[in-house]
Structure formats: structure tokens, C-alpha cells
Amino acid sequence: MHKITIKNIFIFFLVFLCLFPLVIMVLKSFSGTVAGLKLEQYGRALFQTEKFMRGFWNSVIYTVVIIAINLPVSLLAAYGFTQFNFRGRDTIFWAYIVLMLMPFQATIVPQYLTLKALNILDTPRAVILPNAFSTFGTFLIAQYMRGMDKEIFEAGRIDGHSELRLMLNIAMPVCRPLLSALTVLLFINYWSMVEQPLIFITNQQLLPLSVLLGGTDLFRKITYACGILFTILPLLLYLLSYEDLLQGIALSSTTGNQRTPVEIERHNEGKRYDRKVFGKVILIFLGVMLIFTLATQKITYMMTAKVEVVSPRSGELLEIPQMKGSDSLGYFSAIVPASCVFSDGDNHYLYLAMKDRFDESKLQAIKVGITISAQNGVETAVSGAIPGNAAVIRYTTRALVEGNYIDVLYWGNENE
Amino acid sequence: MIIFIILMLLMVLQDYVTRNFASIPGRLEIKFLNGDQQGSLFKATQLLEHEGYLISYIREWETDINNYPVIVYQTDQNYSYFGEFKLLKGRWFSDGNNQAVISKNLSLEIYGTEDGVGREILLEGHAYTVVGIYESNSVLEKIRKGPDYIYVTGNSGLEIYGVETHRLLVASSKESTKHFLREKFMETLYRGGSTLDAEGFLMKDMSKTVGIPRQLFKGYIFVLECIALIWLLQCFLMDLKIFISKYKEKMRTQYLKEAMEEHLTALLITAIKWTVMAFVGIFLIRKIIYFQLELPGEWLPSDYIFDIQFYQKALFNEKITAYPSYYEGLYQSVVSFSKHLFILKIVLTILWYLIVPKALFSGERQDSGKKDTIPKRRLIRHGKTNI
């Protein structure tokens, strides 16, 4: 009895350790800029972060397209390997297994060179094509099909059915749980892929959410909520095909017909309702994400500040600007209008209009700390990390925060 | 149908009001709280005009002529740019002479004719010659509701025995001052050595106010487009469902080619209907995607869109001007009118949306419930019956 209690405590401790990151993620996702449970992170992620939405839809597109190509191709290849005898069949299958077992890191360079030769680097095809023809699915389905009774296919052939019809009407229904399990496995694999997009794509706008979430500070304030939202779709898919997943894994491991298709169908009868519900939930989730994407697009535009910018000038700063011949405060390399400079206690800063590195068609307000060298009330000589061709924000339609999108209405000049 | 007609009428009305309001130029209005401040500004006039600002001074007071209440604007020739009226007869006055421009209604009231040009009008003991007759924008006048205005030329000797207000109107006359009028105006004054005391005046930037009622109108159109798209999708899905169930039934007893030949007209009509639906859907989706709403910066929080504290502050600390100028009053009235109309239209649209599709789909459901009776001879011909 005592031994069982200790064992249970140990198991619970292990479970707690496993679930700890998830619990932390859920709890932290409800924290905001002020204390207490807040939905601020979700509000920001779903209504204000275009990059999150773009990353999310990139992930959806990559995953769906890869699976949509990979599954039929794998099924056809597996059928060919198991039903036909042709020269080199075993060698090719062996090559399939070798390719499956080879770690991605070992094939990075040849894959990169191939994609470069095809001139599809830095395009979605660079991620989709190598994965769409991955050999894992073929191997798994072929292993299962090997255990199927060949006499059924022979009988079908005698009846005059074509090979395609045999595959569609006999092989596919029997393989359904396996295909469903394979879909979930592939989905989870490609939903969370990082290395391939990171290596084959440099355009930030084409990166999936898995890369954006992990490697950048784009979602600094909303990391936890983004993590939760990123988990929802695989979780729903897992719930949708939980039974198939268990069956598929069991079937593929035994490689034999433990149950006939009729038995499998009967077993699945009760689960159909659940599947329909989860299928609907997935569609609703995607629909809602589409609405959020639209809302994000509108809100981002509304929140974009209209600004006027100036270039800092270099030269002499007069003590009284209106008076020619007034005393000089010195020569400075960066002089900006006084209205450009903001102060927070003893700290001074200004905002620069800079291209967003995620989307170069947009401009962002970047806060730069400065030191005031001299000022005459109209102009201020400043020093800090200000590039020579900088666009310093002078007027804005709304209070700015670091990272705000801006729209330049007018490029003014103090000397005009 | 009644709701739909009301909605259409309300839309036309809002569009009409918005168009009328948009024809009035925006401005920056400065209301002086003491006389010293004006002197400082008078000195800076030349600099301001050189820097790309169009300015006009107003001395304003209320009085009555033959018991007809009026508001007098003692102003300059630049005011004609800011004017919210149309000159019917005569001309706008030039500086220096005792000239007046009065409304058509006042002319009728005191002279018995719409053409009072050349006649004299007595104000606070001074005689002014009427040089022009104007007509206010009737739509905006109905919304604003207030006494008529008389515009007279400057007369420093004129003494007012009631409450008088001094204002300065500023507009942009150069591309460089088109945006951020308020900030640039203050900076120009400061650079010009003005010693304006911030406590001595109230400043209201209404240079971009014209766009706000227009944005509310656009916002409603967007809501309408979204509802139309949802409705279209519903219609299509319902139609598709009916179509499938109808032809599934037929396909049990007929071959595809046979069924198509028999229902060619119906199929063609359905194809045309769906094509139209697809085009309308694409059009609506494009409109929805490209819709952009521009709201004044002060209406939105700086960082987080659902910043409740910001909205609470904005809602409860709304400043209401005690003695608004004509334009400010008009702007407030038009915005308030547009807001109320917007809410009313949204409520009516939702009501209409809830009623119409239900009625439509219930009718279609009844239709689809009736199963097509298949001619017995056809069943016999295909050997699909026991008869």
C-alpha cells in the first residue's frame, strides 16, 4: 500500500512536471500590462497584430497544401509498392526508407542547392515541395497494405475493375484510420516546422507562425496568448481524429488485419457524432480567425498614426533664432525642431520613421534615446543613434508608442 | 419592405447632410478670453499670412433688429472664405466702409423684399449699407436651429453693451500647413516672437472635422456590406442544399443526361443565379477588404484598442464648449445628427436582416419539402418500379 502511494506521488509529480509549461503558458496568457487576470494579450493578438495573423495563415496554407499533396501521393506510391511487381521495386523502397531515416540536417545543403537551381528559394514552394513528397507516409501506408489480403484485389481484377478503382474502393476505405492518423501526425509535424522555412525563406512575410513565435521579438507583449492560439488547431484536430489515431497507430504497428473493415466501421459508428462536432468546431475556429484577421486589418489602419517628418540638419545653432547675428551655440551634426524632442524626466527621446523589417512597405515609429547638446527653444541639437538620412517624426495625429505603424503625410523641412 | 424604404431614405438624408457639411471649409478657431491677447496676434498677422495661413478676425455679439434676433459678426473680407452661405445678390464687403451682408430672411423681415441691397441697417446706433444678401444652407440651418447672422465690416468705434466674443479663424493656404494646422500655427507664432499666454485663449482645431460625418456614413455602408455578404452566403448555401436534395431525388430514377435534358431551363437559371451571386460576392469581399476607417487620433487609445480606462476618460471628460461658434455648433449638431442616424440605421438594418432572410428561407423550405412526383410511365420504362 505504502509502495503504491509513493509510486502515485511520483507519477503525479512527473505529470505535473510535464504539464507545468502548459499551465504557466495558460496562466501567463491572462496577464496584461496591469495586475490581475486580463484578456489584453488575446485582444492584442487577435485584433491588433497583423504579423500574428499573417503567420497563422501562412502556417495553415503550408500545412494544408503539404498534406493535400502528400497523402494522395503516399497512397498511390504505397499501392504501387504493394500491388505491383516491377524491377527495382525493393531498391526504390529501400531508398524511400533511407530518405525517411536521414535527418533533415544531413540533407539541408543538397535541398538548398536543388531549390536554388529550380529558382524557387524564398517562395512558399521552397517549403511546400520538399515536404509534400516526403517518404514517411508512403512507408507507413505500404507497411499496412502489405498485410492486406491480395485475393480481394485479385477478385476485383477478375470482375474487371481498374487499378484506380481497386485502390479507391478497396484499399482506401480499409486504410482510412491509418490515413486519419497520418494526417494528424503530418499536421503536427508541419504545423510546428521551423528549420525548413528558416533556411529556405528569408522574406519575413512568408514565414509560418512556428518560426515567428520562436525566433523573433515580434510578439514580445503577447507571447503566451500567441502560444495558446497556436496550439488550438492541432488540439482540435487531435480531438477530431483521436480514435483513428489510436487505431491507425495500432494497425500500422501490427501490420495485420486485427479487425475487418466492417468491424472498424461498426466501432466507429458511435464516434461519428463527435467527429462531426469537432469538424464543425475546426471550421468555426478557422472562420472566426478569418473574421479576426479582417478586424485586425481594419484596426491596424485605424491605429496607424499620420505623421509629418523632418530630416535633421547640421550646422550652426543660434541662441535667438529670429535674430541674425545672434550668439552662436556652436556647430552640431544633428539639429531637429524642438517639437521633435520628448522628455520623460531626465531622459530625452525622439521617434524615427523606419521601415518595418517584417513588412518593408510599412513604416514604424522607433523610439531613440538622445542627449540634448544645445537648444534655443525653436531647435534642439541632439546626439544619439540617429542616422544621417533619418526621418524624425515632428507632428503626429495621436500619441505614439514604440512600434506603432505610421503613415507619413508630409516631409517637412525647417528651412522651407 | 417598409423598413427597407425607411433605411434607404435615411441613407439619402445622411448623405445629403454630409455632402452639405463637407462643402464648408474646415478651420482652426481661437476664442480670446481677454483683450490683450488679440494685440499680440495682430502684430503677427503679416508673418502668419507669409507662412501660409489665411486668417480672419471676428467680433461677435447678439442683438435684435425690430424684435428679430440676430447675431452680428464684425469681420473682414477674408471671412468670405470661411463662409457657410451662398451670396444671392450683391457682393461680399471690402474693408474700411460701413457695409453689411444680411440674410434673405432678414431682408424680407425688415425691408419686405429679398433684394435689400443698397438699403441701410442700424446696428448699435451705427448705420451700415447692405451690400449683399446671402442664403444659408437650408439643410444645415434646420439641424443647427439658431438666429440669423449679420456680417458687418470692422468699426473700432463701435461700443457693445452686451456680451461680446472675439475669435480668430485660421485656415491653411499652403501645402506645408495643410496638415497639423494647430501645431504649426502655434510654432509659427512662437518663432515669430509672439508672447501669447496659454491661459488667455481657447483653441479648437476643426481643420479635419469635415471628414467625421463622412466616416460615419462609410462605416454604415461597411456594416451593410458585411450583412449583405453573410446574407448572400446564407442564400447560396440554402439554395445549394435545396438543389442537391432536389436532384439527388431525381437521380435515383433518372440518368444524369436525361435529368439534365428534362430540366435544362431550370439548370440554366440556377447557373445564371449562382454566377450573379459569385460576382456580387466577389464585389462585396473586395469592398470589405479595401474598406478603411479614419478616425481622429484623440478618439483612439495610443496603444491598446480595448483600453477601457481611455474610453471611460474620453466619455466622462468630454469637454462641452459653453458658447460655441457658429461652425462649432454646426459641427456638433451634424456629428450628433450623424451619430444618432448611424445608430438608428444599424438597429433598423439588424431588424430588417432578422426578418427578411427568415421569411425568404421559410418559403424556400416549404418549396423544397414538396417532392417532385415522377411520372409513372418513366419509372416503368426504366424498370425501376414494381408496377
Side-chain angles (χ1 to χ4, degrees):
Chain A
M1 185 68 188
H2 183 67
K3 265 187 178 176
I4 291 170
T5 315
I6 291 173
K7 198 175 84 182
N8 282 349
I9 290 170
F10 181 68
I11 289 168
F12 275 116
F13 177 70
L14 279 181
V15 169
F16 177 73
L17 272 186
C18 292
L19 289 177
F20 189 68
L22 186 73
V23 174
I24 289 288
M25 192 164 79
V26 173
L27 287 178
K28 283 269 188 184
S29 73
F30 290 102
S31 63
T33 45
V34 285
L37 284 178
K38 300 274 170 199
L39 287 170
E40 190 183 324
Q41 283 195 38
Y42 290 97
R44 281 180 191 275
L46 294 172
F47 290 95
Q48 276 183 265
T49 319
E50 265 192 337
K51 291 156 193 170
F52 172 78
M53 289 301 175
R54 194 179 277 272
F56 175 83
W57 289 111
N58 281 346
S59 286
V60 170
I61 291 166
Y62 288 146
T63 313
V64 169
V65 173
I66 288 171
I67 294 174
I69 299 173
N70 190 272
L71 269 188
V73 168
S74 298
L75 193 70
L76 284 168
Y79 186 80
F81 278 124
T82 53
Q83 296 299 321
F84 302 122
N85 279 318
F86 54 92
R87 191 181 284 180
R89 185 186 73 167
D90 294 336
T91 316
I92 296 171
F93 194 70
W94 178 81
Y96 260 63
I97 296 169
V98 170
L99 276 172
M100 186 185 77
L101 294 175
M102 272 172 99
F104 170 69
Q105 287 77 6
T107 56
I108 286 177
V109 177
Q111 274 195 37
Y112 186 88
L113 292 173
T114 312
L115 294 171
K116 196 178 174 187
L118 291 170
N119 201 22
I120 56 171
L121 269 180
D122 211 17
T123 64
R125 282 170 291 166
V127 174
I128 292 169
L129 286 179
N131 290 310
F133 298 101
S134 87
T135 54
F136 174 69
T138 309
F139 170 76
L140 205 69
I141 301 168
Q143 286 304 97
Y144 179 61
M145 278 187 179
R146 276 184 213 284
M148 283 163 63
D149 200 348
K150 287 198 174 179
E151 283 173 8
I152 304 169
F153 292 98
E154 287 302 326
R157 280 182 196 116
I158 291 163
D159 278 354
H161 287 304
S162 67
E163 289 298 331
L164 187 70
R165 189 167 278 275
L166 285 175
M167 194 199 75
L168 291 173
N169 290 357
I170 300 172
M172 223 166 83
V174 177
C175 290
R176 214 187 118 200
L178 185 74
L179 291 175
S180 186
L182 187 65
T183 307
V184 178
L185 292 174
L186 291 176
F187 187 91
I188 290 165
N189 186 30
Y190 296 124
W191 184 251
S192 53
M193 66 178 164
V194 173
E195 286 162 319
Q196 285 119 312
L198 207 58
I199 293 162
F200 301 143
I201 292 178
T202 48
N203 184 350
Q204 298 256 322
Q205 289 203 65
L206 298 176
L207 289 175
L209 198 55
S210 47
V211 177
L212 297 174
L213 272 182
T216 58
D217 61 347
L218 286 173
F219 311 119
R220 208 175 45 226
K221 289 179 183 171
I222 51 168
T223 314
Y224 298 105
C226 288
I228 296 285
L229 293 168
F230 183 61
T231 320
I232 290 175
L233 206 55
L235 197 73
L236 285 173
L237 199 75
Y238 169 76
L239 290 170
L240 175 78
S241 51
Y242 173 70
E243 280 295 316
D244 286 342
L245 190 67
L246 289 183
Q247 264 184 40
I249 290 167
L251 289 171
S252 63
S253 63
T254 52
T255 65
N257 287 325
Q258 301 291 314
R259 285 175 183 168
T260 62
V262 179
E263 282 173 335
I264 293 166
E265 275 301 299
R266 203 174 294 151
H267 179 80
N268 286 345
E269 201 72 37
K271 302 288 170 193
R272 264 194 197 141
Y273 176 74
D274 289 349
R275 258 196 223 136
K276 265 190 177 176
V277 171
F278 284 122
K280 269 188 182 173
V281 171
I282 289 177
L283 285 178
I284 290 169
F285 175 74
L286 288 174
V288 169
M289 285 304 279
L290 201 67
I291 293 167
F292 283 140
T293 310
L294 204 65
T296 304
Q297 185 214 4
K298 307 298 166 213
I299 290 171
T300 307
Y301 182 80
M302 265 178 7
M303 299 285 276
T304 301
K306 310 284 183 292
V307 300
E308 183 174 316
V309 294
V310 286
S311 301
R313 73 170 181 92
S314 58
E316 190 183 19
L317 189 67
L318 296 176
E319 194 176 349
I320 305 167
Q322 300 89 356
M323 195 190 290
K324 278 181 185 173
S326 160
D327 288 344
S328 172
L329 294 171
Y331 283 86
F332 301 95
S333 58
I335 301 171
V336 294
S339 51
C340 295
V341 180
F342 300 90
S343 294
D344 180 13
D346 290 338
N347 301 321
H348 305 287
Y349 58 92
L350 45 79
Y351 286 102
L352 298 182
M354 294 181 99
K355 274 184 183 173
D356 179 10
R357 63 189 167 87
F358 184 83
D359 180 359
E360 290 209 338
S361 65
K362 286 184 172 170
L363 289 171
Q364 265 186 320
I366 303 295
K367 194 176 174 178
V368 178
I370 48 153
T371 313
I372 294 176
S373 311
Q375 55 187 328
N376 61 12
V378 174
E379 287 183 301
T380 308
V382 296
S383 57
I386 306 168
N389 57 348
V392 183
I393 296 172
R394 187 176 183 186
Y395 304 117
T396 169
T397 48
R398 53 200 299 273
L400 288 173
V401 174
E402 165 97 32
N404 271 172
Y405 281 131
I406 52 168
D407 188 8
V408 176
L409 290 177
Y410 188 72
W411 195 300
N413 197 321
E414 194 57 25
N415 301 325
E416 258 179 32
Chain B
M1 194 63 191
I2 296 165
I3 299 174
F4 180 75
I5 291 166
I6 294 171
L7 270 171
M8 288 298 113
L9 288 174
L10 288 177
M11 267 182 73
V12 171
L13 178 66
Q14 190 176 1
D15 186 47
Y16 190 54
V17 170
T18 310
R19 274 174 200 277
N20 277 288
F21 183 62
S23 62
I24 307 170
R27 79 257 338 247
L28 177 73
E29 285 199 6
I30 298 166
K31 183 182 170 186
F32 297 104
L33 301 176
N34 59 58
D36 304 342
Q37 299 290 315
Q38 299 159 55
S40 178
L41 267 175
F42 272 117
K43 283 180 205 164
T45 306
Q46 220 174 359
L47 171 77
L48 288 168
E49 280 177 351
H50 177 255
E51 291 277 342
Y53 300 97
L54 186 76
I55 49 178
S56 177
Y57 292 95
I58 297 170
R59 187 183 179 195
E60 176 189 348
W61 71 95
E62 279 185 61
T63 185
D64 66 273
I65 299 167
N66 302 342
N67 293 325
Y68 188 87
V70 287
I71 295 173
V72 186
Y73 265 20
Q74 193 179 47
T75 185
D76 49 40
Q77 52 191 346
N78 277 355
Y79 187 82
S80 60
Y81 171 79
F82 298 93
E84 311 81 9
F85 46 75
K86 194 171 78 183
L87 271 177
L88 286 179
K89 288 179 183 8
R91 56 173 174 84
W92 187 253
F93 50 68
S94 51
D95 271 338
N97 305 313
N98 286 346
Q99 296 170 351
V101 174
I102 62 169
S103 70
K104 186 180 84 178
N105 294 343
L106 184 64
S107 180
L108 265 172
E109 183 73 26
I110 56 177
Y111 306 123
T113 168
E114 283 184 13
D115 189 5
V117 176
R119 309 241 186 150
E120 284 204 338
I121 191 166
L122 207 63
L123 276 171
E124 315 293 348
H126 284 74
Y128 292 87
T129 310
V130 176
V131 293
I133 305 289
Y134 74 87
E135 186 182 34
S136 298
N137 188 311
S138 57
V139 181
L140 300 178
E141 276 304 307
K142 271 174 196 150
I143 294 172
R144 190 184 66 87
K145 283 175 192 164
D148 273 359
Y149 282 72
I150 297 180
Y151 303 96
V152 295
T153 47
N155 187 339
S156 55
L158 193 72
E159 274 189 38
I160 316 293
Y161 298 103
V163 180
E164 61 178 293
T165 315
H166 294 263
R167 294 181 205 275
L168 181 78
L169 308 185
V170 184
S172 154
S173 63
K174 263 188 189 174
E175 184 63 27
S176 59
T177 52
K178 201 172 144 193
H179 307 290
F180 306 104
L181 189 63
R182 179 199 180 107
E183 290 84 354
K184 285 181 184 172
F185 178 76
M186 287 308 289
E187 216 171 272
T188 310
L189 277 181
Y190 186 70
R191 244 193 2 254
S194 168
T195 51
L196 267 182
D197 175 16
E199 298 292 315
F201 63 90
L202 291 173
M203 189 182 274
K204 187 148 180 126
D205 188 355
M206 293 183 285
S207 53
K208 301 284 175 207
T209 50
V210 169
I212 296 168
R214 172 63 57 195
Q215 290 298 317
L216 283 171
F217 186 71
K218 264 176 76 180
Y220 174 70
I221 300 283
F222 174 71
V223 173
L224 216 59
E225 283 163 0
C226 289
I227 290 175
L229 185 68
I230 295 167
W231 192 56
L232 193 77
L233 274 174
Q234 271 185 324
C235 279
F236 176 71
L237 288 175
M238 194 58 78
D239 206 33
L240 190 72
K241 221 172 164 182
I242 293 165
F243 180 84
I244 289 170
S245 64
K246 197 172 160 185
Y247 284 93
K248 219 174 175 181
E249 193 69 31
K250 284 189 193 301
M251 293 305 286
R252 282 184 193 165
T253 52
Q254 284 177 308
Y255 292 114
L256 179 69
K257 199 180 167 189
E258 212 176 19
M260 276 180 71
E261 276 171 3
E262 193 181 333
H263 305 281
L264 198 61
T265 319
L267 282 170
L268 267 172
I269 290 168
T270 309
I272 292 166
K273 193 164 71 178
W274 287 358
T275 312
V276 171
M277 275 182 173
F279 276 108
V280 174
I282 292 166
F283 172 76
L284 286 173
I285 289 168
R286 273 182 67 90
K287 291 287 275 180
I288 289 168
I289 288 172
Y290 291 113
F291 169 77
Q292 288 176 331
L293 190 69
E294 277 182 49
L295 292 175
E298 60 273 17
W299 284 22
L300 292 166
S302 60
D303 187 22
Y304 179 42
I305 187 83
F306 299 113
D307 188 348
I308 308 293
Q309 283 179 337
F310 171 86
Y311 294 112
Q312 276 174 346
K313 270 185 198 169
L315 206 68
F316 296 114
N317 294 352
E318 202 180 354
K319 284 173 194 164
I320 296 162
T321 314
Y323 188 47
S325 66
Y326 176 88
Y327 186 78
E328 199 179 342
L330 187 66
Y331 161 65
Q332 281 170 3
S333 306
V334 170
V335 169
S336 166
F337 175 76
S338 301
K339 272 183 191 172
H340 285 103
L341 215 58
F342 178 76
I343 294 164
L344 179 69
K345 281 191 301 186
I346 293 283
V347 171
L348 282 175
T349 308
I350 291 169
L351 199 71
W352 183 65
Y353 173 72
L354 290 175
I355 295 166
V356 172
K358 239 179 201 176
L360 195 76
F361 294 140
S362 64
E364 282 192 0
R365 266 192 208 115
Q366 277 169 8
D367 288 349
S368 68
K370 292 175 197 166
K371 285 185 181 172
D372 289 342
T373 47
I374 303 148
K376 267 184 187 173
R377 61 173 189 281
R378 189 174 294 279
L379 294 172
I380 295 163
R381 187 155 50 116
H382 292 283
K384 287 179 182 176
T385 176
N386 294 325
I387 298 167

